[in-house]
C-alpha cells in the first residue's frame, strides 16, 4: 500500500498513493470478462496438454437471444426507453433504445461527494499474495471431466490495485454510514449517480468503495481467483484488509448492519457480488449485478462446488433455505455465449441469468431481473440507463 499526497479539486488527480479526484464527466470502464486468447467456439483443444502461447482467434459475435424463448422466465415488456419501476419485484424486458437516466449526468447545484484514491500491493496482503496466467495462454478441458479446466501456466506474480472511496457531501462525521462495495473499480458512473440519488433522497447517504481487481481474467488469473471462487474468502479479505483502511484513512465509520451493506459488479465482478452476500449474509444483504457470470468459471476446481457459479441456480439456491438478500440483475440479449474451449453446457450468460431469475422466484426472493434488448456484455449504455433505478431497488426499506 502506498501513501502519498492528497490532491483536492475536480478533474483527474495525479496518482500519488492517496488522491482526491472530482467526478465530473468521468466514465466507468466495463470489465472484459473473457480471456482475449481463449479459443473461439468450435475450436478444438488437445485435452490434458500444457497451455502454450497461441494467436488470439477472432470470436464470433454472440447470437441475439429472444427473451420470449421457451424455458425463459415470463417477463413484462416495457415501452422502449422505460425502466422497470424501482419498487417492484419480478422480470422485465427493456427496449433497444438506451438513453442515459438524468442521474447519470453531473448537474449544477447538486452536492458533489469527494472521491479519494489509494493503492494496495500484493506484498501487503495475507489473503491474496498474487498470481497470473502467462500471456497468450488459457487452458484445456480435463479429458475425464469437461467441467474442469486444466491450467498449467498460472504462477505467483505481484500486483498493485487501485481503490476509490466516495464520501457523499451529506456524510456526518462520526456517524456510521451505509455503504456499497463494487468490483472492477474505480466506477466513476456510480459516484455521479449517487450524488444525484442522495440529493433526491431516493437512496441513503452512503459511502461507495470501488475496488480494482488484482489483474488478469478468468481461470488462472488473480481477477478470476478473487471473483469466481465459490467461497467467503473475498468478502473476508474486504472485511479484514480494505474496510479498516477506508475508516482509518478518511475518518469515516462504516455500518456493521448487513441491511446497510451492498455489493455490486459486472461480469465476474457481479458473480463476486453475489458470492460475497451468499457466503456472508451476516455482512451483506443487497446485491446489484450486470451480466453476471453465473457460469462454470471457478478455478482451481473444487469438488464441493464443481460447477462454479453455475451452481447457484442448479444447486445452491434451490437446495438452500432462503437467505435475507435483495438482488437486482441485468443481462443483455447479445451477452456472452460459450467463449472458450470448454463444452460443458455451462457457458451461456443469458441462460445462466434466466435460470437465476427462475430459481429466485421459486424461493420467493425479493429480486428484479431486467433483460435488455440491443445490449452486449456489461453494456455501458444500458448501465447509464438503469443504474439509478437499480440502486433505488436494492436500497428499498433502508432509511433515507
Amino acid at each position: 500500500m502506498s501513501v502519498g499526497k492528497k490532491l483536492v479539486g475536480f478533474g483527474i488527480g495525479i496518482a500519488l498513493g492517496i488522491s482526491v479526484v472530482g467526478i465530473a464527466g468521468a466514465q466507468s470502464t466495463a470489465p472484459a470478462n473473457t480471456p482475449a486468447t481463449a479459443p473461439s467456439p468450435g475450436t478444438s483443444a488437445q485435452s490434458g496438454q500444457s497451455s502454450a502461447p497461441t494467436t488470439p482467434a477472432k470470436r464470433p459475435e454472440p447470437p441475439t437471444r429472444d427473451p420470449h424463448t421457451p424455458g425463459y422466465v415470463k417477463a413484462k415488456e416495457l415501452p422502449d426507453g422505460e425502466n422497470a419501476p424501482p419498487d417492484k419485484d419480478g422480470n422485465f424486458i427493456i427496449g433497444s433504445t438506451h438513453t442515459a437516466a438524468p442521474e447519470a449526468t453531473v448537474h449544477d447545484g447538486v452536492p458533489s461527494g469527494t472521491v479519494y484514491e489509494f493503492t494496495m500491493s500484493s506484498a501487503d496482503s495475507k489473503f491474496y499474495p498474487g498470481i497470473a496466467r502467462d500471456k497468450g495462454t488459457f487452458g484445456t478441458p480435463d479429458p475425464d471431466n469437461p467441467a474442469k479446466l486444466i491450467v498449467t501456466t498460472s504462477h505467483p506474480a505481484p500486483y498493485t490495485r487501485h481503490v476509490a472511496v466516495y464520501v457523499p457531501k451529506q456524510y456526518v462525521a462520526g456517524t456510521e454510514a451505509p455503504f456499497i462495495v463494487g468490483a472492477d473499480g474505480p466506477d466513476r458512473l456510480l459516484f455521479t449517480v449517487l450524488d444525484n440519488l442522495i440529493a433526491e433522497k431516493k437512496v441513503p447517504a452512503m459511502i461507495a468503495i470501488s475496488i480494482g481487481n488484482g489483474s488478469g481474467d478468468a481461470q488462472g488469473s488473480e481477477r478470476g481467483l478473487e471473483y469466481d471462487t465459490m467461497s467467503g474468502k473475498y468478502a473476508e479479505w474486504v472485511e479484514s484488509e480494505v474496510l479498516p483502511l477506508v475508516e482509518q484513512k478518511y475518518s469515516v465509520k462504516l455500518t456493521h448492519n448487513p441491511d446497510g451493506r451492498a455489493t455490486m459488479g459486472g461480469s465476474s465482478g457481479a458473480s463476486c457480488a453475489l458470492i460475497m452476500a451468499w457466503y456472508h449474509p451476516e455482512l451483506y444483504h443487497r446485491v446489484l449485478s450486470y451480466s453476471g457470470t453465473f457460469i462454470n468459471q471457478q478455478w482451481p476446481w473444487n469438488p464441493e462446488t464443481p460447477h462454479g457459479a453455475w451452481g447457484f441456480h442448479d444447486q445452491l439456491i434451490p437446495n438452500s433455505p432462503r437467505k435475507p438478500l435483495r438482488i437486482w440483475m441485468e443481462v443483455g440479449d447479445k451477452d456472452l455465449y460459450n467463449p472458450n474451449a470448454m463444452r460443458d453446457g455451462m457457458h451461456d450468460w443469458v441462460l445462466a441469468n434466466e435460470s437465476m431469475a427462475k430459481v429466485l422466484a421459486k424461493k420467493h426472493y425479493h429480486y428484479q431481473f431486467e433483460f435488455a434488448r440491443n445490449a452486449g456484455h456489461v453494456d455501458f449504455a444500458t448501465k447509464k440507463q438503469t443504474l439509478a433505478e437499480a440502486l433505488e431497488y436494492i436500497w428499498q426499506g433502508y432509511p433515507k
Side-chain angles (χ1 to χ4, degrees):
M1 178 188 63
S2 63
V3 179
K5 298 179 180 179
K6 186 168 84 172
L7 307 176
V8 183
F10 281 91
I12 302 298
I14 301 173
L16 293 175
I18 300 174
S19 60
V20 181
V21 295
I23 59 178
Q27 293 189 359
S28 141
T29 301
N33 188 76
T34 56
T37 56
S40 57
T43 302
S44 62
Q46 296 181 1
S47 300
Q49 300 271 334
S50 298
S51 302
T54 59
T55 301
K58 182 174 175 58
R59 186 180 301 127
E61 289 292 322
T64 300
R65 262 63 65 85
D66 181 353
H68 301 298
T69 297
Y72 285 9
V73 295
K74 288 187 176 181
K76 181 178 181 180
E77 188 120 26
L78 300 173
D80 191 22
E82 184 176 313
N83 285 332
D87 60 346
K88 300 295 183 183
D89 293 349
N91 311 309
F92 299 88
I93 302 165
I94 62 173
S96 58
T97 303
H98 304 298
T99 302
E103 290 86 357
T105 303
V106 175
H107 296 287
D108 292 338
V110 172
S112 180
T114 302
V115 179
Y116 302 90
E117 291 193 32
F118 65 97
T119 58
M120 299 180 72
S121 168
S122 55
D124 298 324
S125 179
K126 295 179 180 179
F127 284 75
Y128 294 115
I131 63 169
R133 188 180 67 243
D134 286 346
K135 185 177 181 180
T137 68
F138 184 52
T140 53
D142 185 331
D144 298 321
N145 181 359
K148 181 180 179 182
L149 192 72
I150 298 173
V151 180
T152 62
T153 59
S154 182
H155 51 80
Y159 64 80
T160 299
R161 75 173 82 238
H162 293 273
V163 181
V165 180
Y166 162 91
V167 181
K169 190 77 170 178
Q170 296 87 342
Y171 174 68
V172 178
T175 62
E176 281 196 353
F179 65 92
I180 185 167
V181 174
D184 290 312
D187 186 343
R188 312 293 178 194
L189 177 61
L190 172 64
F191 308 151
T192 298
V193 171
L194 284 177
D195 272 346
N196 289 304
L197 288 179
I198 292 169
E200 295 166 359
K201 300 188 185 305
K202 291 182 177 179
V203 299
M206 74 187 76
I207 290 169
I209 303 157
S210 191
I211 306 170
N213 64 71
S215 78
D217 191 33
Q219 293 95 328
S221 73
E222 180 64 29
R223 180 176 184 264
L225 182 67
E226 294 170 7
Y227 291 177
D228 297 317
T229 298
M230 297 292 287
S231 78
K233 184 176 180 179
Y234 187 83
E236 292 155 16
W237 170 72
V238 170
E239 201 72 16
S240 299
E241 297 190 358
V242 181
L243 302 187
L245 281 178
V246 171
E247 291 186 316
Q248 173 191 341
K249 291 181 177 302
Y250 308 119
S251 300
V252 296
K253 289 185 178 180
L254 302 172
T255 184
H256 292 278
N257 177 3
D259 209 38
R261 291 165 158 231
T263 62
M264 71 171 288
S267 195
S268 281
S271 61
C272 176
L274 180 57
I275 288 167
M276 292 175 73
W278 180 264
Y279 286 97
H280 283 293
E282 80 284 4
L283 298 180
Y284 299 98
H285 282 178
R286 305 172 189 274
V287 179
L288 196 161
S289 163
Y290 281 96
S291 296
T293 298
F294 305 122
I295 58 110
N296 179 27
Q297 194 161 278
Q298 178 174 235
W299 182 91
W301 186 78
N302 184 349
E304 294 182 2
T305 51
H307 296 165
W310 186 271
F312 271 130
H313 45 89
D314 80 349
Q315 293 179 5
L316 292 175
I317 295 173
N319 298 330
S320 301
R322 183 167 62 92
K323 296 178 185 283
L325 308 181
R326 173 179 288 274
I327 301 168
W328 185 95
M329 304 185 304
E330 176 272 348
V331 77
D333 62 351
K334 301 174 186 176
D335 227 301
L336 299 181
Y337 179 73
N338 202 22
N340 61 38
M342 300 175 74
R343 296 295 179 268
D344 57 3
M346 293 183 281
H347 279 82
D348 181 339
W349 272 249
V350 175
L351 179 59
N353 280 269
E354 289 280 344
S355 299
M356 284 288 294
K358 191 177 298 184
V359 297
L360 289 172
K362 286 182 179 179
K363 296 295 286 193
H364 305 291
Y365 275 83
H366 285 296
Y367 82 94
Q368 187 179 99
F369 171 52
E370 294 191 13
F371 184 105
R373 294 187 183 276
N374 189 33
H377 188 59
V378 195
D379 189 84
F380 191 59
T382 301
K383 186 175 179 180
K384 288 195 291 184
Q385 177 188 347
T386 59
L387 181 57
E389 180 259 316
L391 287 164
E392 279 194 74
Y393 176 83
I394 65 165
W395 283 99
Q396 280 186 68
Y398 194 85
K400 299 181 179 60

